[in-house]
Amino acid sequence: MKRATALITGLLLVAAGALNSPSFADEKNIPEPFRGETKGSPIEIRYDDWNAILDMTVLDAGTSDRSVASSPRPVFGTRTVRGNTSSTRNEGNRIAFPAFADYEENLRILEQIKTELEAIPEQAPLRLWTKNEQLAYWLNLHNITIIIELTKQYPMKSLRPLLKGSRKEPALWDQKLMTVSGIPLSLNDVHDILVEKWDSTLVMYGLFQGYVGGPNIQDKAYTGRTVHKLLVENAKEFVNSNRGMRPKGSTLHISEYYKKNKKLFPDWEKDLKKHFVSLTEFALHDRIQNAKRIKASTNDFYIADLYAGSASKGSAAASNPAALTTALVSSNDGAGEILPDVNFGIGDWNLDTYANYQLAPIESRFPEYVTEYIQKVRKNKSMRPGNVDVEEVENETPEKEGNN
């Protein structure tokens, strides 16, 4: 894999008085440091290392064929059923959490990237960025944060206890896990900022929830240039899967995640139907529009982990070095003066032993009850000639280069 060249680089070269005057009228519920935008701003945020990490640890499952997973079989010789028993368990992308949980250095690298991301708006205020750059920033910060927090509690099966919280500790999504521009933020705070500021149904699909029944974690980072395209891809994948929206009789069974995003669908049933029609094939439109009931009952809170929430025995390791390198950003204080380069770098760290699920037979790398999912992925991929991302090899294989 090519060495990552930079984590974050940006450049702002704006003459005095050329900045847009941000209007806060429609952002009254957003903390002041996160308001405004600069249309046409040349600031560009790059996430090369975060992108490389996702590329190595996320398995793209492809598009759901809407088949319902059958009841899992008990472990041989017992009545015990291990793993995810949901009918949607073979859908959605997975991330290899043991790549971080088994190797403290890898987790430390994630935490360092997160720290650097939190620091950027102190040097280059968000109001100087375009809206797309801001959106990509918030999505990446949110997703890396939830992956870090789930890694700290790994291994685990269901995320339901983290969603509910307890008397001693609030739900994970309500805990102040980030600090941006001096403001402590929770995962739900970031969600609310995005819903308030963008007022777009697409933003909900970029917020990885960590469980199978939520939107996918992408195998690439969001950027200002790609954020809209990737959000549309995630939206289509989710809506066209059983865990997102499934017509059954005269009822549309939809994910409970939509209830969390009810503000995006003020006229609940009418807006949802319109939304689903916009993201599905014509053959489904009549069933969607004629549905008599919409029921938010589909859920699968099993962790979206390639190893199904089981502690690995180190077999996930593959030697794929990547380094965090010095990141430079040039900023502008809004008065026409170009500020000096600000170094967000942390020096060189080696990122070794990242999971690579592609380099060995699945039987030797995954728990038995995970192979069903991998086999399903292979079947889906085989229907798209020339785009098979998962393969078995018997001998040593060169490391993966780039995205497939």
Side-chain angles (χ1 to χ4, degrees):
M1 189 193 72
K2 296 182 179 179
R3 177 186 176 90
T5 56
L7 170 63
I8 304 159
T9 56
L11 181 63
L12 178 61
L13 299 173
V14 184
L19 289 174
N20 295 336
S21 299
S23 170
F24 301 155
D26 57 347
E27 299 182 359
K28 60 181 181 297
N29 295 323
I30 300 174
E32 192 278 334
F34 311 143
R35 300 175 186 174
E37 64 172 310
T38 296
K39 294 180 180 179
S41 168
I43 283 183
E44 182 175 357
I45 311 299
R46 291 175 55 188
Y47 305 89
D48 291 4
D49 287 285
W50 177 225
N51 193 71
I53 289 169
L54 291 170
D55 180 52
M56 283 188 284
T57 60
V58 174
L59 172 58
D60 179 359
T63 304
S64 168
D65 62 4
R66 287 201 179 274
S67 61
V68 177
S70 59
S71 299
R73 293 177 297 179
V75 177
F76 181 76
T78 74
R79 294 184 179 181
T80 303
V81 175
R82 298 181 62 190
N84 190 350
T85 61
S86 170
S87 63
T88 61
R89 65 181 180 272
N90 291 330
E91 296 184 344
N93 293 357
R94 299 290 190 273
I95 184 166
F97 277 98
F100 315 113
D102 288 358
Y103 305 100
E104 292 183 5
E105 184 71 5
N106 291 347
L107 177 59
R108 196 164 91 173
I109 289 170
L110 283 188
E111 291 174 328
Q112 188 63 60
I113 295 175
K114 174 177 174 282
T115 298
E116 292 188 357
L117 289 177
E118 291 174 304
I120 295 174
E122 293 283 353
Q123 306 294 331
L126 289 170
R127 65 184 175 83
L128 303 181
W129 307 8
T130 65
K131 237 178 172 182
N132 278 355
E133 288 293 340
Q134 293 181 44
L135 179 56
Y137 169 82
W138 285 118
L139 295 176
N140 288 322
L141 179 59
H142 174 283
N143 292 350
I144 198 170
T145 298
I146 195 169
I147 290 170
I148 288 170
E149 295 303 316
L150 294 182
T151 296
K152 291 177 181 177
Q153 302 195 46
Y154 190 91
M156 68 177 68
K157 307 293 185 182
S158 174
L159 269 58
R160 192 184 294 272
L162 300 181
L163 287 159
K164 291 184 176 181
S166 65
R167 292 182 180 179
K168 294 183 179 180
E169 192 171 48
L172 177 64
W173 280 256
D174 291 324
Q175 297 175 28
K176 302 298 183 182
L177 303 171
M178 299 157 274
T179 301
V180 180
S181 297
I183 300 177
L185 296 170
S186 67
L187 294 167
N188 277 336
D189 289 334
V190 173
H191 170 275
D192 293 345
I193 289 169
L194 298 189
V195 170
E196 181 74 20
K197 183 160 185 170
W198 276 267
D199 190 27
S200 167
T201 54
L202 288 178
V203 298
M204 62 176 282
Y205 297 104
L207 296 166
F208 179 50
Q209 301 297 298
Y211 52 82
V212 174
N216 271 338
I217 178 70
Q218 288 270 8
D219 61 358
K220 56 184 71 68
Y222 293 99
T223 69
R225 294 174 184 267
T226 65
V227 64
H228 183 267
K229 174 179 177 290
L230 293 179
L231 287 177
V232 170
E233 287 180 7
N234 248 20
K236 286 184 176 179
E237 188 284 327
F238 193 63
V239 170
N240 288 282
S241 71
N242 289 335
R243 71 190 199 285
M245 186 277 295
R246 178 170 62 97
K248 186 176 181 181
S250 61
T251 300
L252 294 182
H253 293 268
I254 67 173
S255 170
E256 289 188 3
Y257 183 57
Y258 284 102
K259 291 196 295 186
K260 181 176 181 178
N261 292 276
K262 205 164 186 177
K263 188 173 181 180
L264 293 171
F265 307 96
D267 192 340
W268 180 243
E269 292 198 0
K270 180 179 179 181
D271 290 347
L272 277 173
K273 287 181 179 181
K274 182 179 179 181
H275 178 67
F276 294 148
V277 164
S278 72
L279 294 168
T280 55
E281 297 293 334
F282 179 77
L284 273 179
H285 292 178
D286 281 347
R287 294 193 67 183
I288 293 171
Q289 292 169 331
N290 296 329
K292 296 180 179 179
R293 184 185 183 196
I294 295 180
K295 187 176 181 180
S297 58
T298 302
N299 59 62
D300 186 341
F301 295 117
Y302 214 89
I303 187 171
D305 169 44
L306 187 56
Y307 287 77
S310 298
S312 104
K313 298 179 180 178
S315 63
S319 180
N320 279 303
L324 291 182
T325 58
T326 300
L328 300 177
V329 59
S330 296
S331 185
N332 186 293
D333 65 359
E337 178 184 355
I338 302 300
L339 300 181
D341 287 342
V342 181
N343 190 338
F344 291 110
I346 60 172
D348 289 339
W349 294 91
N350 285 327
L351 179 60
D352 296 324
T353 62
Y354 261 103
N356 192 324
Y357 49 82
Q358 301 184 357
L359 298 183
I362 59 175
E363 292 78 9
S364 65
R365 298 182 71 80
F366 299 99
E368 180 181 356
Y369 49 89
V370 178
T371 61
E372 176 194 17
Y373 167 79
I374 301 294
Q375 290 163 351
K376 182 65 176 177
V377 169
R378 288 177 172 170
K379 181 179 178 181
N380 288 347
K381 296 284 187 175
S382 69
M383 297 177 182
R384 297 185 297 172
N387 191 28
V388 180
D389 292 332
V390 181
E391 60 184 8
E392 285 186 77
V393 294
E394 297 296 334
N395 301 314
E396 184 177 355
T397 301
E399 60 184 356
K400 183 182 177 186
E401 293 186 359
N403 292 321
N404 289 325

